[in-house]
Structures are given as structure tokens and as C-alpha cells.
Amino acid sequence: MIGSDVAAFDELDRDACIEAWGKQFGRKPPKFVSVQFMRRALAYEAQVKAHGRHSPAVRKALVRSLKDVRRPRSALPASSMSLRPGTHLVREWNGRSYQVEVLDDGFQMDGKRYRSLSAIARKITGAHWSGPRFFGLDAS
């Protein structure tokens, strides 16, 4: 059909994707799967056919890296989430910009000291928040 010309898959309409899927996988695609997904899956399979799959060593490394990514942030060492004194954090909330300075022993906002970012987030929002998450430091 198309071979390893991956860009050609972008031109397939839904009916052509369904036909190519049947030829490639020997069955119809799952119900409600998008055309975009079918195009990507077909392009991937064409690349595998042309260039081969990843080696077992590469697949193991990818699986290991996925496990690292899926590990909760709280399981990371405290030093990976530490902030250096002098760092300024900025957060906009309800149309107002808030600036927090990291100190040796806490944080400062609007001239007042706080022991934690969570206390500052609570002061800003009036609700309980994870301070690191509120300030965008927690990527999860």
C-alpha cells in the first residue's frame, strides 16, 4: 500500500484508514477510534516494517524510564523539590499577581513571613491547597 512513506498516512480519510487498518491488523479498528489515531498507528506499523522494532535492551530502558516518570513526586528526594533562597515565585490568582520570595527559613509575601507555601496558597485562595502545586512546582 503506502510503505514507509509516513507522510502519506496524513492524507487518508476515515474509510481509507479503516481499509488500511484491516489489511495491517487483520480486523476492523475498535469502535470510536479517531482517524488521527488510526493514521498514527498505521504510520508506526509502516516504520516498524521498514526499519524494525526497538531492540529488547531499548524496550527495557523505555519501560524503566516510564516507571520513573510514573513515580509519585512525593517519592522523590526532598532535595529535588528544594528552592534556593532568593528565588521568586509568581502566581496570578483572580486577576492579581502574587510574588513570593524564598528565604532561608521560609517564604515572604507582601512583607509577611510564612513557614510554608501551603500557608501562602491558603492565604491567597481561602482554601486548602498544596503550596508546591499551587505555585506550579508539582508537575503531577
Side-chain angles (χ1 to χ4, degrees):
M1 176 181 154
I2 292 177
S4 64
D5 185 10
V6 175
F9 287 100
D10 289 337
E11 305 301 319
L12 297 179
D13 64 8
R14 182 167 194 76
D15 291 333
C17 282
I18 291 171
E19 181 182 337
W21 188 282
K23 288 178 183 174
Q24 178 64 42
F25 299 107
R27 61 185 181 279
K28 290 184 178 182
K31 285 186 178 185
F32 309 115
V33 70
S34 70
V35 173
Q36 177 112 1
F37 177 83
M38 287 190 285
R39 288 175 181 157
R40 288 181 179 173
L42 291 165
Y44 173 78
E45 289 299 320
Q47 287 178 325
V48 166
K49 192 173 191 178
H51 305 290
R53 295 196 185 275
H54 291 301
S55 70
V58 169
R59 284 189 294 224
K60 284 181 184 178
L62 289 170
V63 168
R64 273 194 312 272
S65 69
L66 280 175
K67 287 179 183 174
D68 290 343
V69 169
R70 291 179 182 157
R71 183 173 54 171
R73 295 274 300 178
S74 60
L76 294 175
S79 63
S80 68
M81 292 191 353
S82 63
L83 297 169
R84 298 173 83 167
T87 300
H88 286 259
L89 305 173
V90 179
R91 171 68 201 262
E92 187 173 322
W93 181 260
N94 288 340
R96 180 177 169 207
S97 182
Y98 295 89
Q99 185 171 345
V100 174
E101 182 180 357
V102 179
L103 306 173
D104 287 323
D105 58 346
F107 304 90
Q108 183 171 317
M109 180 182 76
D110 296 338
K112 185 175 177 190
R113 290 179 176 254
Y114 295 86
R115 288 177 34 177
S116 70
L117 286 175
S118 295
I120 294 173
R122 187 171 27 260
K123 173 75 173 166
I124 292 170
T125 66
H128 177 72
W129 272 79
S130 159
R133 180 169 287 175
F134 181 78
F135 284 95
L137 303 174
D138 184 6
S140 61

